[in-house]
Amino acid sequence: MKKTLIALAAAAALAGCQATTSNDSSQPEYYGTDHPFASEAVYFLVTDRFVDGDPTNNHEDQGGDYPTFDIELEGPDGRSANVGYMGGDLKGVLNNAQFIKDMGFSAIWMTPLVDNPDQAFAGGETIEFGGAFKDGGKTGYHGYWGVNFFKLDEHYPSPDLGYKELNQKLEQEYGIKTVLDIVANHGSPSFTMPVDQPEFGELYDKEGKLVADHQNLKPSELDEANPLHDFFHREEDIMQLSNLDETNPAVVDYFVEAYSQWIEQGADAIRIDTIKHVPHHFWKVFADRIRAKYPNFFMFAESYDYNANFIAQHTLEKNGNISVLDFPGQNAMSKVFSREGGGYGELEGYLHLTHGPYNNPYELTTFYDNHDMARLDATDKGFINAHNWLFTARGIPVVYMGSEMGYMRGTVEHQGNRNYYGQTNIDKAKQHPIRHNLARIAKVRQQLPALQRGLQVNLELAGDTAAFYRILQKDGNGQTALVLLNKGDQPAAFDIDQYLQPGLWTEQLSGSTRNIAASESLKVSVPASGVHVWVREGEITDAGLKAQLEHLMEHL
């Protein structure tokens, strides 16, 4: 069976259930995953665009003839986007850690924090409002143009708050983990500049020594005899970004050492950018070397493709056992919960609960939008329904900053998707109905191991309603969650008898209880844009349900 085995971690988490069975190791075990990171819910933010907590690190005069701060792209009807730095920093994250925790998130994924160039890029095609795949005039505010992967960019720390201190405070004061966003296929824009700009196309080591330099040359013009060109391929890849040569052992060593440094400073997981642009053999070596130092370290990656069979290749043991962001799931969710709408049945296909291509579908990170695509174009109710699904269905939920208030909904990168969020909006979001309902369902998931790691047994996903179980039975402990979803505009009646076991069932959002007798069904009404989560503690005894669970375990 294709899964990760961490029995002690699962046993510890299940021990927190309010009621459990006796510790009977003879019971069959049913679980989707027992990787500890599956318990997390992730809040994703673009660091520079979150909150300016320390204006002294804004460097508003940086860049000279190519300034880097507040570069606005003007659009029609007063709309705008921005490709300069806008002040977000580590202190802004820490100052709002309670806000993030109160929504039910236990991990924060920040865009890369490594050193990026100190000027705007003068080469390439000039970016404009609504444009795409153009880097001219942009800065490294997003963090993905690394020039020194050992060094924290000057826009983010404060005298009393570096990366290590941030991680310590988040963990100790808020119980929040951090996800390190990494890049290994490219550095910064490296050619087509009118005049070679400092840092662009360059790489520095931990001592600040220059180890690679594109020297404003096209990849085909690089010199085999020049040691500063050894880090690069001779073929172009993504626009003018340097195309790092993963076959060079020095490149592998560089990134293993650099990212090990940040893990030492407290990073709890890794998100890999543009993984499909680097062959599998690199990631296998990289993952093995990282996990040799940090066993079972969780990694997930962006392989921007809607073909499950393609992105699943990254999750296989032979390719490094790296989980992925569930792009097929994102595609389905964006259709079902957007203004156009669709039925719950459209979501079933991406789950791959049996005979699927993934090493383990329960370890995928699930999302409905992010910074690289259009934000979800949905009503408030659409967001609420999306969260009700995201936090109860299989996978590790990831929510992009601002979604808690439907911020800049429907916009792509250079139309406002990454616009500065800021403290004013965060304060508004605290009273927003999307945020209120998000926190309710996220905290339910936070309390229920079955929603975090349990097998998913679908009863019916059709139209505006969905009904399914999440079931976890391990180390003598058992928990069953029955999830009922209604995204319609009117209350929906449910009458559930399939696999329903007798006993005490408690609805987690209302506290209501039902004592279900043998052969009795559960009849309830779920409000419009609502969710019920009914929980029964104890061993699985229904023969039909056990057979279904055994089938799922065998073919996961």
Side-chain angles (χ1 to χ4, degrees), residues 242-471:
S242 60
N243 185 8
L244 296 171
D245 184 1
E246 77 288 340
T247 67
N248 183 345
V251 172
V252 182
D253 292 343
Y254 180 89
F255 284 115
V256 169
E257 185 179 7
Y259 293 134
S260 294
Q261 168 188 293
W262 303 114
I263 296 172
E264 283 294 325
Q265 294 187 30
D268 297 286
I270 278 176
R271 179 265 184 183
I272 300 170
D273 185 66
T274 55
I275 191 173
K276 70 179 183 180
H277 290 265
V278 181
H280 293 301
H281 65 78
F282 172 91
W283 294 114
K284 172 62 174 171
V285 172
F286 177 85
D288 285 352
R289 289 179 61 177
I290 291 293
R291 290 184 179 129
K293 296 181 182 180
Y294 315 101
N296 203 40
F297 195 81
F298 189 75
M299 305 182 195
F300 66 99
E302 174 222 27
S303 186
Y304 202 141
D305 198 289
Y306 295 120
N307 183 341
N309 290 311
F310 176 80
I311 69 173
Q313 297 305 304
H314 304 291
T315 73
L316 303 182
E317 291 285 353
K318 67 179 182 179
N319 295 330
N321 188 18
I322 297 168
S323 185
V324 289
L325 286 153
D326 193 344
F327 277 88
Q330 181 276 325
N331 189 43
M333 280 187 269
S334 67
K335 294 175 181 176
V336 170
F337 299 113
S338 68
R339 296 181 196 273
E340 294 182 7
Y344 273 110
E346 297 176 47
L347 301 178
E348 193 161 7
Y350 86 79
L351 296 173
H352 294 287
L353 301 178
T354 63
H355 301 86
Y358 301 108
N359 185 51
N360 191 322
Y362 292 89
E363 294 175 7
L364 270 58
T365 43
T366 52
F367 69 111
Y368 52 77
D369 69 11
N370 66 21
H371 61 321
D372 286 331
M373 58 179 61
R375 283 183 178 262
L376 182 66
D377 187 13
T379 64
D380 287 0
K381 290 181 179 179
F383 277 95
I384 291 168
N385 291 317
H387 294 146
N388 288 341
W389 168 262
L390 190 67
F391 282 81
T392 55
R394 73 104 176 103
I396 303 167
V398 178
V399 175
Y400 180 31
M401 69 175 193
S403 298
E404 60 270 17
M405 63 179 291
Y407 185 62
M408 301 304 297
R409 61 189 86 189
T411 59
V412 297
E413 178 183 348
H414 297 115
Q415 291 179 340
N417 172 297
R418 302 183 187 179
N419 280 8
Y420 181 71
Y421 192 34
Q423 197 64 52
T424 299
N425 279 318
I426 285 178
D427 292 341
K428 291 178 182 177
K430 292 176 182 178
Q431 310 303 321
H432 203 282
I434 297 176
R435 182 258 171 213
H436 172 72
N437 285 277
L438 164 60
R440 291 176 75 227
I441 194 59
K443 289 178 180 179
V444 169
R445 184 185 188 275
Q446 200 169 53
Q447 297 300 315
L448 296 179
L451 291 186
Q452 300 163 10
R453 297 185 298 281
L455 290 169
Q456 181 164 338
V457 180
N458 291 335
L459 299 179
E460 184 177 37
L461 279 64
D464 287 339
T465 61
F468 56 89
Y469 290 105
R470 297 294 304 278
I471 297 172

Side-chain angles (χ1 to χ4, degrees), residues 14-24 27-31 448-450 454 469-482 499-506 508 534-542 545-546 549:
L14 265 177
C17 299
Q18 293 179 347
T20 59
T21 63
S22 61
N23 191 5
D24 181 1
Q27 292 177 5
E29 295 190 333
Y30 308 122
Y31 56 98
L448 296 179
Y469 290 105
R470 297 294 304 278
I471 297 172
L472 184 62
Q473 181 168 286
K474 198 164 187 345
D475 302 305
N477 301 313
Q479 186 178 79
T480 301
L482 171 61
Y499 302 143
L500 188 70
Q501 299 188 103
L504 181 65
W505 292 79
T506 303
Q508 301 299 296
W534 291 88
V535 172
R536 174 188 179 274
E537 306 286 357
E539 182 182 0
I540 308 302
T541 58
D542 182 89
L545 179 56
K546 291 174 71 173
L549 294 170

Side-chain angles (χ1 to χ4, degrees), residues 176-187:
I176 292 177
K177 295 178 170 61
T178 57
V179 177
L180 181 70
D181 200 342
I182 74 167
V183 185
N185 91 287
H186 68 261

Side-chain angles (χ1 to χ4, degrees), residues 86-108:
M86 300 198 72
D89 48 36
L90 302 187
K91 190 150 284 189
V93 175
L94 184 61
N95 290 348
N96 289 282
Q98 190 65 51
F99 167 74
I100 295 170
K101 179 180 179 179
D102 286 347
M103 286 189 288
F105 293 100
S106 56
I108 299 174

